[in-house]
Amino acid sequence: MEFQLIRHSTLKIKFNNLTILVDPMFSQKGSLAPVSNAANDDRNPLVDLPVTVEEVIQDVDALIVTHLHRDHLDDAAIQTLPKDLPVFCQPEDDLKLLDFGFTNVMKVQKELEWSGIKLSRTGGRHGSGELAEAMGQVSGFVLASETEETLYIAGDTVWCDEVEDAIKTSKPKVIVLYGGEAQFLSGDPITMGINDIEKVSSFAPDSTIVVVHMETWNHCLLKRSTLKESVEAYELTNVIVPEDGEKINF
């Protein structure tokens, strides 16, 4: 398995000799309005892509879209991506993806098989209480095959029963967490912060945990440097915090 963080939650993963692009977001730095009701009004994305869009989409065999918030699928990606690529999504999103022009949309109710890969959809909570309800349905995905270690992409969620159940059930060797501790001016964070990451690390000590979804969107306030300091202080030896563009082999 080869894992590459492109930017934010856009991931390029080589798995079972296939290349899967997760949550494609291609907008240029500063081209999108900021998230409102946040601690700053910086325009999004905060940084440019580390490679060209052409490099990102080269050799891609399929897409996974965890949900349809614009930092996980934006207009630039919709306009650029080949529309005949297989797109795996949560059931709530298939009709919208078809409306965007994608012709090979496969909603994952629970699990399905594709080209020797079993894709299982997992639950999550995009925050807590009424805020989580307002943020809408989000999903994670587990990828498993006979030739690869199991990979769990948690998606936009905080630590919750659904994440715990996904780890218990799939026993992943690699876990991708969407960090950044995204937050509005009121309410609890809606993606994972240091405490969430520490809980996952403790609950899954034999898994390698890769934290992404940082330093790209204006309401994601947790910085890599702060997280790395906490990882060292808490001795979270199974946690990796990659830079944009970085590749990791498992």
Side-chain angles (χ1 to χ4, degrees):
M1 186 197 319
E2 181 181 274
F3 171 97
Q4 184 181 20
L5 168 61
I6 302 300
R7 178 184 63 179
H8 198 53
S9 57
T10 304
L11 318 172
K12 193 172 184 179
I13 300 167
K14 293 183 180 179
F15 194 93
N16 202 42
N17 295 316
L18 295 164
T19 300
I20 300 171
L21 190 65
V22 180
D23 285 352
M25 187 264 291
F26 297 162
S27 291
Q28 295 181 352
K29 177 182 177 181
S31 62
L32 301 177
V35 173
S36 59
N37 192 32
N40 60 72
D41 58 0
D42 298 334
R43 292 185 63 83
N44 293 310
L46 303 179
V47 295
D48 278 319
L49 288 167
V51 294
T52 65
V53 170
E54 290 74 20
E55 289 176 271
V56 174
I57 66 175
Q58 184 178 10
D59 300 323
V60 167
D61 297 298
L63 309 174
I64 292 176
V65 178
T66 60
H67 64 300
L68 293 182
H69 289 169
R70 61 182 180 145
D71 57 327
H72 297 263
L73 181 69
D74 64 349
D75 289 342
I78 292 168
Q79 293 165 8
T80 304
L81 288 163
K83 296 303 182 290
D84 59 348
L85 283 172
V87 184
F88 301 100
C89 68
Q90 58 185 5
E92 292 81 359
D93 296 339
D94 65 326
L95 294 180
K96 288 184 179 179
L97 287 162
L98 288 168
D99 285 343
F100 293 153
F102 294 101
T103 59
N104 193 6
V105 177
M106 288 178 270
K107 59 184 177 183
V108 183
Q109 294 282 3
K110 185 176 180 182
E111 63 183 39
L112 58 76
E113 295 273 349
W114 172 75
S115 298
I117 301 174
K118 184 173 80 170
L119 290 96
S120 304
R121 188 173 63 86
T122 62
R125 299 180 194 175
H126 205 351
S128 58
E130 293 182 0
L131 181 56
E133 295 295 325
M135 293 301 295
Q137 178 68 40
V138 293
S139 293
F141 289 86
V142 174
L143 280 65
S145 79
E146 294 182 357
T147 63
E148 299 282 6
E149 303 282 6
T150 299
L151 168 67
Y152 167 40
I153 302 167
D156 265 9
T157 183
V158 295
W159 171 255
C160 59
D161 291 344
E162 290 86 344
V163 173
E164 182 175 333
D165 289 344
I167 295 171
K168 281 182 181 177
T169 302
S170 64
K171 298 178 174 58
K173 185 65 176 179
V174 181
I175 300 173
V176 181
L177 300 181
Y178 287 13
E181 203 168 31
Q183 193 166 10
F184 301 104
L185 290 176
S186 60
D188 294 329
I190 58 173
T191 62
M192 291 205 182
I194 293 169
N195 289 338
D196 302 279
I197 295 163
E198 183 182 8
K199 289 175 182 175
V200 177
S201 174
S202 176
F203 188 74
D206 296 326
S207 302
T208 299
I209 297 165
V210 185
V211 185
V212 301
H213 197 271
M214 303 181 73
E215 298 183 346
T216 303
W217 220 247
N218 74 293
H219 68 329
C220 291
L221 304 180
L222 176 62
K223 304 298 183 184
R224 286 187 175 98
S225 58
T226 304
L227 178 56
K228 287 179 179 179
E229 289 173 0
S230 297
V231 165
E232 184 175 354
Y234 295 141
E235 298 182 347
L236 307 181
T237 56
N238 59 337
V239 175
I240 299 173
V241 187
E243 299 294 324
D244 290 351
E246 186 174 341
K247 294 181 179 180
I248 307 170
N249 289 295
F250 296 101

